[in-house]
Amino acid sequence: MPSLPRKPPIAILVAVSAVGPLALNIFMPSMPGLPAIFDTDYATVQLTLSLFLIGLAVAQLAYGPLSDRFGRRPPLLVGMLLFILGSAVGLLATSIATVIVGRIIQAIGGCAGLVLARAIVRDLYDRNRSASVIAYITMAMVVVPMLAPLIGGFLDDWFGWRSNFWFVGGFAAVVTAFALLLLHESNHRRTSLPGIGGMIVSYRRLLRSPVFRGYAFMTTFSSAGFFAFLGGAPYVMIELMGRSPSEYGLYFIMSAVGYMAGNFMSGRGSVRLGIDRMIGMGVGFSLLGGLTMLALALVGFMTPMALFGPMVLYAIGNGLTIPNGIAGAISVHPRIAGAASGLAGFLQMAIGAGASALVGHLVAESQLPLAVMIFSAALCAMFAHLFTLLANRRTALA
């Protein structure tokens, strides 16, 4: 008879989830300075972000089914070791191409924590409770990414861009050591390894579900606005406004605090109000933030507060929508929660990579292209939410 899953400390789930976002965000302040260092253009440097996101996206498709077959713990530990390897590659890089390769390896390893922490939560809790727990994990986890641009900015100012790889590699090594000790296996209902054909069948089954599509694309579009901000805000702030990397990091804390506030509200309200009401509140906040940023950009008001102030509202919305949307997506077929988590994560990161790459090419003289993309992402998230409500209603009547 299989033993009951042992609940790991929330802190270790927070830590393994934070590794990927830490690496993603800590590098942002260094990006505008890399074209001069490597004698390249900003569009090429932008690949350190967009290909990082693609690496996060594609690897999640593998981690989900692997964790359904072998358990959550072994793939997670392998991913952490890959992340440390990628950090070493980036640290020793002598060309922008090698930096990009190191970032891709970091992404492939770091996404293990993002996928598997969510699957572990779904192993242990029901649908609404899992949304609450994911929200609390995300709220606590976001403290590290919140500080990452600030840390990255000061590291870049004081020690140069390579120090970022030192920092994240060391952090991952410590987290891996604690995971070995504290992270117990939660998946005791293993499925057979599906292979490529079986994985396609699982993903096809998920994509045929209107409810899964609704939740997954709602979180995807919500995330796309944030990734567009990550891709364009450093250039707008540092190059167009002439501010320092460390100042960008300080302002970034505002949006991260907004995201934490939304996560806190999700943690408090998801069980009581249900995930769909929380998502409705979230898309409302995001729309308001995107519309405000767009209006300020149209009148040519280009200041740090015009950029980061509206983003606080958008981030509050993300804090409400993303944990609840993920909980909804991975609850459609609980037996393949790992695959659902991986597919939802793939969609988030793939569309996010496209948004960040596109805004990197469009932002030239003002923040207007960035504002347009963020508002458009919020609008698409709202339509996806309305689609989900309709799909849930049809499923209930069937």
Side-chain angles (χ1 to χ4, degrees):
M1 181 177 180
S3 59
L4 292 176
R6 298 175 62 184
K7 294 182 180 179
I10 295 295
I12 194 61
L13 295 178
V14 170
V16 298
S17 299
V19 169
L22 172 64
L24 172 66
N25 289 288
I26 201 170
F27 202 65
M28 296 299 102
S30 296
M31 287 173 57
L34 293 184
I37 293 173
F38 290 111
D39 190 25
T40 187
D41 54 33
Y42 190 71
T44 300
V45 170
Q46 189 78 17
L47 294 176
T48 63
L49 172 61
S50 56
L51 292 183
F52 185 99
L53 293 175
I54 290 173
L56 283 177
V58 174
Q60 290 186 63
L61 294 176
Y63 279 117
L66 286 172
S67 74
D68 289 335
R69 170 61 181 88
F70 297 109
R72 315 303 185 200
R73 177 181 158 94
L76 191 147
L77 294 175
V78 170
M80 296 298 293
L81 293 175
L82 275 175
F83 180 89
I84 295 170
L85 173 63
S87 301
V89 171
L91 176 65
L92 300 174
T94 57
S95 69
I96 190 63
T98 310
V99 174
I100 292 169
V101 169
R103 293 279 288 168
I104 293 171
I105 298 173
Q106 277 186 324
I108 293 171
C111 81
L114 292 173
V115 177
L116 300 180
R118 297 184 305 208
I120 289 168
V121 169
R122 189 59 187 91
D123 289 338
L124 303 175
Y125 301 99
D126 63 22
R127 182 175 182 264
N128 285 338
R129 179 60 180 161
S130 65
S132 178
V133 174
I134 289 172
Y136 280 126
I137 289 174
T138 309
M139 182 182 65
M141 180 198 77
V142 86
V143 172
V144 173
M146 175 183 72
L147 296 176
L150 178 61
I151 295 170
F154 281 112
L155 285 174
D156 186 87
D157 286 343
W158 294 344
F159 306 109
W161 63 273
R162 293 183 192 274
S163 57
N164 290 320
F165 287 103
W166 273 112
F167 188 90
V168 295
F171 178 80
V174 172
V175 171
T176 302
F178 277 99
L180 283 167
L181 296 173
L182 301 175
L183 188 62
H184 308 295
E185 182 56 61
S186 64
N187 179 19
H188 297 286
R189 297 187 304 171
R190 310 291 173 80
T191 62
S192 59
L193 190 63
I196 298 297
M199 289 168 63
I200 293 173
V201 169
S202 295
Y203 293 140
R204 184 184 300 162
R205 181 184 180 193
L206 290 165
L207 288 172
R208 282 179 174 173
S209 166
V211 176
F212 176 84
R213 292 200 306 270
Y215 285 124
F217 281 104
M218 187 282 302
T219 58
T220 293
F221 290 124
S222 294
S223 299
F226 182 70
F227 288 129
F229 186 78
L230 291 181
Y235 182 84
V236 172
M237 182 77 170
I238 297 170
E239 295 298 315
L240 299 184
M241 297 185 193
R243 306 303 178 106
S244 68
S246 54
E247 190 174 1
Y248 167 81
L250 287 169
Y251 273 102
F252 188 85
I253 291 178
M254 294 174 54
S255 56
V257 169
Y259 192 62
M260 286 183 64
N263 287 149
F264 179 77
M265 288 188 281
S266 289
R268 299 279 291 181
S270 293
V271 174
R272 183 167 53 91
L273 299 177
I275 65 175
D276 292 322
R277 288 185 181 179
M278 301 303 291
I279 291 171
M281 292 172 55
V283 295
F285 271 106
S286 294
L287 270 174
L288 180 59
L291 183 60
T292 303
M293 185 183 294
L294 180 59
L296 292 172
L298 285 171
V299 299
F301 193 58
M302 190 166 69
T303 67
M305 283 304 299
L307 187 65
F308 285 92
M311 198 61 197
V312 172
L313 294 173
Y314 192 94
I316 291 172
N318 270 13
L320 289 164
T321 57
I322 291 176
N324 288 286
I326 290 171
I330 65 179
S331 297
V332 173
H333 296 295
R335 290 281 296 181
I336 50 173
S341 178
L343 181 56
F346 167 80
L347 293 171
Q348 279 183 273
M349 298 302 170
I351 300 299
S356 69
L358 182 59
V359 79
H361 285 281
L362 295 178
V363 173
E365 298 179 357
S366 77
Q367 76 272 39
L368 181 59
L370 176 61
V372 169
M373 289 194 65
I374 289 174
F375 174 72
S376 300
L379 199 61
C380 290
M382 182 196 71
F383 284 122
H385 172 57
L386 295 176
F387 175 85
T388 308
L389 294 178
L390 181 60
N392 274 326
R393 185 175 303 172
R394 287 176 175 172
T395 301
L397 294 175

